[in-house]
Amino acid sequence: MNITIEKIAYGQLLAKSQPKPILNEEDYDIALAEFGSLMSQEELTLEEETLLSLWGLLIEEYESKYYPIPEATPQDVLLHFMEVRELKQADLVGVIGSKGVVSEVVNGKRAISKAQAKALGEFFNVNPSVFI
């Protein structure tokens, strides 16, 4: 079954919403409002889903340029998992090494080795590559 967008309905949505490249904070606020309005609806037509995707792409492009998310270091990832699980350094003793080794890793004085990444991956039940 081939589902196609109804051009008239989509054209009316475009005319009402008027999506365009986001060049400043005012445009960004408008885009977020339009996106939010569509997201708050229970069900969307195919035309509304298409418009939602368009707004999403415009917002994503603007945010990646003006609000980039810095990449997390392996230490950042470890600290995050520890915080989420409410763990202390002592909880990792035996998982990645002695008390001194754990302290050095957690405080960024020592890089996480491949063996430690594997152990942390098993401990936190995640892919070890997030710690490398």
Side-chain angles (χ1 to χ4, degrees):
M1 181 175 173
N2 190 7
I3 302 174
T4 58
I5 295 175
E6 298 212 14
K7 290 180 181 181
I8 293 175
Y10 186 59
Q12 290 172 340
L13 282 172
L14 288 172
K16 180 182 175 195
S17 185
Q18 298 185 358
K20 64 182 186 70
I22 302 170
L23 304 175
N24 54 47
E25 287 294 315
E26 183 180 346
D27 292 345
Y28 180 59
D29 291 339
I30 291 168
L32 289 175
E34 291 289 337
F35 187 84
S37 175
L38 288 165
M39 285 294 294
S40 68
Q41 294 183 36
E42 293 273 334
E43 290 187 36
L44 296 175
T45 64
L46 181 59
E47 294 77 21
E48 289 168 330
E49 287 178 7
T50 304
L51 182 58
L52 178 68
S53 294
L54 176 58
W55 278 118
L57 289 170
L58 292 169
I59 290 167
E60 182 180 350
E61 179 183 7
Y62 183 79
E63 288 177 344
S64 69
K65 185 174 182 179
Y66 294 102
Y67 300 107
I69 298 173
E71 283 207 26
T73 66
Q75 179 199 16
D76 293 334
V77 173
L78 175 58
L79 292 172
H80 173 73
F81 282 126
M82 289 175 66
E83 180 181 340
V84 168
R85 288 226 188 140
E86 298 180 354
L87 299 175
K88 297 186 180 355
Q89 289 184 23
D91 298 318
L92 297 179
V93 172
V95 176
I96 60 171
S98 68
K99 184 177 178 181
V101 170
V102 171
S103 178
E104 289 177 348
V105 168
V106 168
N107 291 308
K109 295 180 181 176
R110 178 188 287 222
I112 298 172
S113 71
K114 289 181 183 179
Q116 290 169 330
K118 183 178 179 189
L120 287 168
E122 289 174 10
F123 183 78
F124 288 109
N125 198 28
V126 296
N127 189 318
S129 67
V130 300
F131 297 109
I132 296 176

